[in-house]
Amino acid sequence: MLFDTHTHLNDPDLFLRAGELIVRAQEVGVTRFVVPGYDRESSLRAMELAAQHEAVFAVVGFHPQDAAAVGESDFADLEVWVRDEKVVGIGEIGLDYHYEEPAREVQADVFRRQIAIAKQVRKPIVIHDRDAHGDVVRILRDENAKEIGGIMHSFSGSSEMAAECLQLNFYLSFAGPITFKNAKRPREVAAQVPLDRLLIETDAPYLTPEPYRGKQNEPAHVRFVADKLAQLRQLPVEEIARVTYANAHRIFSIAGDVQ
C-alpha cells in the first residue's frame, strides 16, 4: 500500500477528474491521499474532496506566494477549518524567494501566524521552501515548531539542512525529482534519511517522475518515487511502501490499517 502525502487533486486541472484519478491510483496500490491547500479556494476544495472520499485527507493553509492577499478573515477561517476531523494539518506554508514578491517580511508574518494556529490545534505543518532554506529553518526554530513537527514537502535541501529538519521533528518527503538523472543532491539526501522520517509524494499535477516526465502528474505515479527510493536504499520496494505508509499515518495522526 502506498500513501501519496502531497497531491493537488484540488488543482483546477485535476479537480473535476479527482474521482477518476483516485480510482486509477487505487488500482496500482495507492490507498491514501493528502490534498494540501495553497489559498482559500484550494483549501475549501481540499476539504470538499476529503468529505467525499474516505481515502482523502485535507491540509489547509496559505502558500507564501499568496501571502500579500491573506487578511484577518482568512486567519479566522483557518482557525475554523483546522478543527475539521478530516483536516490533518496546515499547509502548504513557508517561504518562496524565487520571485521578488511578495515581500519577504510579509511571507514571514503569514508563515509565523499559521505556525501559531497549528500549535493551538496540535496539528503538523507542511512546508513549502523555495530558495529560502536558511530563513525557513530559522523561523521553525524561533516559533518552536518542533512541538508539532511536520513535513518538508518535496525536499530539495542539503544533507546539513536535512539534519537540522530532523532535529526539529520534521519528516522529509521526496517527489518526482529524485527520479531525474541530474538530481544528485536529492538522491544523496534521500539515501541517508532515517527510514522512520521518510515520506513519498507526487505534488501532482507538478514534478512528474520518470518515465512520464514532461506530462501531467497524478497520484498513481507515486509508485515511481517509491521504486527509486527502493533502489537508492537497496531495499525491496515493499519495505519502502510499508515504512512510508506507516510514517504518513504517524505524522498526520491518521488511524488505519498500518502494518
Side-chain angles (χ1 to χ4, degrees):
M1 295 185 292
L2 296 167
F3 195 137
D4 186 353
T5 61
H6 196 110
T7 182
H8 290 291
L9 291 170
N10 51 349
D11 184 278
D13 285 343
L14 302 184
F15 183 62
L16 295 180
R17 298 186 293 124
E20 167 195 337
L21 295 172
I22 289 168
V23 170
R24 196 148 70 198
Q26 289 172 332
E27 290 173 348
V28 296
V30 188
T31 61
R32 294 280 166 90
F33 314 80
V34 165
V35 177
Y38 43 88
D39 58 13
R40 169 178 290 276
E41 291 75 18
S42 62
S43 293
L44 292 173
R45 287 195 295 268
M47 294 175 67
E48 181 179 342
L49 289 169
Q52 292 173 347
H53 302 277
E54 184 179 0
V56 175
F57 299 84
V59 165
V60 294
F62 299 97
H63 190 284
Q65 281 296 298
D66 289 283
V70 179
E72 292 303 322
S73 63
D74 296 307
F75 291 119
D77 286 340
L78 182 59
E79 291 183 356
V80 175
W81 299 340
V82 294
R83 298 183 187 280
D84 186 289
E85 63 179 9
K86 290 296 293 285
V87 172
V88 294
I90 289 184
E92 62 186 273
I93 65 176
L95 302 175
D96 191 322
Y97 291 172
H98 187 68
Y99 304 103
E100 292 186 6
E101 298 292 336
R104 294 184 178 188
E105 58 270 22
V106 173
Q107 293 188 40
D109 179 64
V110 172
F111 186 19
R112 290 179 187 274
R113 292 189 64 174
Q114 292 183 96
I115 294 173
I117 293 171
K119 288 169 67 177
Q120 290 173 12
V121 294
R122 312 301 299 175
K123 291 186 178 181
I125 51 180
V126 176
I127 302 299
H128 173 97
D129 168 21
R130 190 179 189 191
D131 301 334
H133 299 331
D135 284 352
V136 165
V137 170
R138 177 177 56 81
I139 289 175
L140 292 175
R141 190 180 294 116
D142 288 350
E143 299 299 322
N144 199 24
K146 185 176 183 178
E147 286 184 16
I148 49 171
I151 297 170
M152 304 303 294
H153 145 61
S154 189
F155 187 77
S156 62
S158 64
S159 296
E160 292 76 16
M161 183 184 177
E164 290 186 279
C165 293
L166 293 171
Q167 290 177 353
L168 286 167
N169 194 28
F170 276 74
Y171 291 62
L172 305 187
S173 184
F174 294 90
I178 68 166
T179 70
F180 302 165
K181 294 178 180 178
N182 61 348
K184 181 179 179 181
R185 187 167 72 173
R187 290 185 182 192
E188 289 177 347
V189 175
Q192 299 168 0
V193 175
L195 282 177
D196 65 353
R197 297 292 191 88
L198 191 62
L199 295 170
I200 55 177
E201 62 171 272
T202 57
D203 197 27
Y206 315 107
L207 302 182
T208 309
E210 298 288 358
Y212 293 101
R213 188 176 183 183
K215 299 180 180 179
Q216 188 178 75
N217 204 2
E218 61 178 271
H221 293 161
V222 78
R223 69 190 190 276
F224 299 112
V225 180
D227 286 343
K228 178 54 67 174
L229 275 175
Q231 293 176 25
L232 295 171
R233 307 295 298 234
Q234 296 184 319
L235 290 170
V237 68
E238 293 81 6
E239 178 65 4
I240 293 296
R242 185 189 68 81
V243 298
T244 55
Y245 194 81
N247 292 346
H249 282 75
R250 186 185 316 115
I251 183 58
F252 287 121
S253 298
I254 298 172
D257 46 355
V258 181
Q259 297 180 359

